[in-house]
Each structure stands twice: as structure tokens, then as C-alpha cells.
Amino acid sequence: MKRIKEGIAALFLAALFLSSCDDGKTYAEYRDDEIDAIESWISTHNYQIISESDFYAQDTMTAENQFVLFEESGIYMNIIEKGKGESVLPDGSYAILSRYFEIAMQERDEMFHLGDTLTGNMNLLNYPGYIVDSSWSLPMYMLHPEEYKVTINGTSYSAAFTSSYIMYPIYGTTSVPTGWLLPLHYIKPSRTASSDDVARVRLLIPHAEGTANAVKYVYPCYYEITYSLGK
């Protein structure tokens, strides 16, 4: 497992997230707040929400600002690009490379604010202070995608990080959030270095399908994630 060495920001986030949020609320109250936050985010961004049956009727694609709600998990998904692979991945084991960003959908004063970017390694050229072709190099966590091994057996999907510069150092587990795996039922990742051809989705992920901290502290996150095949 590769470890981040430049992770001052990552360590700060980890410490921030692990601060106590015991304010006397019950789990049910936190869950109600989460539902309200998701509904507010959808309304603010004017998303069109469709059912799974509508999604299948559209050949498992979504329009530009259209999200399908998966009732069982509570995940909302928008497919930007399905990818250039021949098909959805069949049963087997695969190395997946992902770039992503993770944004707070909820105001949590003790940890973060609504709209904060919590973690991510996407949009390298927007990294503060980065100058193209300069001698200054980006931190390792910005240079490398998150890599994980996915095992597919029928409708069962499981995954663990094998090379992580962000998710493992910050969240302390090799388990890939289950919400990251849902798109693999529908996209067609391939081996590509093209940002135009890489499979790409947007997700609203409730706490139960999110990171270890999201599960612990009961908060939802917005993600944009790319998927390509590793070696």
C-alpha cells in the first residue's frame, strides 16, 4: 500500500473529521437531516429525478441534468460518459483506476461546510499554484489515481484499494465505498488515457453507501468519479 508523504492537508482533514460531533442528536435525527440535505441539494441544482424503470427504458442512460434514484440504496446517479469498453464488465476480477472529487452536501459546523471539497484528485490544472511545464511538481496524491481491485460475481460486487494516495490515508480502510461500485453495473470502462473516453458519472451517495467517516457521522456526499481499467 502506497502512503502519501505530502499529506499535510490530508492529515488535517483526517483530524478534522475525527473530532467529536456528539451534540445529543439521535441517529434518526441525523438521518432526517441527511434526507433534508439531499432534497435541498437536488432542488438547488434543479436535477430531474427519474425512476429505475424510466432509466431502463432509456437504455440505462441519463440526460445532462437527470439523475436516476436507486430506491434500495438511496443513491442517485447521472452518467456523463459510459466509456468505450465493449460491454459492462462480466464476472471476474479487475483493476480499476479512478479520479474523483468528494463534496459535502450538508452543513456540519463541527467538521465541514456545505459545498466544501473534502477529498479528490481531479482537475489537476486547477490545483492552486500549478504552472504547466514548470519545475514544481504536484503532490503525489494529485498525480496518481486511486487504484482498486473489483471482484464481480453475478450481482455481487466487492472492492479493495490496492494503491491509494487519498482514500486510505484519510479514511483508514482499504474498503472501497459501496456507492462507488454501483455504476459498474451500467458503465463500460476501458484502458484509456483520454479524458473524453473515460467512463464518468456523478453520484449523490447517502452515508450508508459512503466512506467510513460518512457512515460514522451520518452525512451524504456528492461525487464525480471516472473509471478506467488498469493493468
Side-chain angles (χ1 to χ4, degrees), residues 105-117:
M105 295 174 59
Q106 187 177 21
E107 188 74 23
R108 293 289 290 271
D109 289 338
E110 75 277 12
M111 294 187 291
F112 47 71
H113 298 290
L114 174 66
D116 282 354
T117 299

Side-chain angles (χ1 to χ4, degrees), residues 188-222:
K188 302 174 182 180
S190 63
R191 290 183 177 88
T192 180
S194 169
S195 60
D196 294 328
D197 294 340
V198 69
R200 187 185 300 266
V201 304
R202 296 187 292 166
L203 299 168
L204 312 183
I205 299 183
H207 77 282
E209 309 295 328
T211 65
N213 276 14
V215 171
K216 181 176 181 180
Y217 295 112
V218 193
Y219 61 82
C221 285
Y222 169 91

Side-chain angles (χ1 to χ4, degrees), residues 146-180:
E146 297 291 284
E147 182 173 351
Y148 45 101
K149 180 181 179 181
V150 173
T151 300
I152 303 172
N153 183 11
T155 59
S156 174
Y157 287 63
S158 60
F161 289 108
T162 55
S163 178
S164 172
Y165 286 87
I166 305 179
M167 294 296 284
Y168 176 78
I170 288 180
Y171 296 120
T173 176
T174 59
S175 296
V176 176
T178 55
W180 285 33

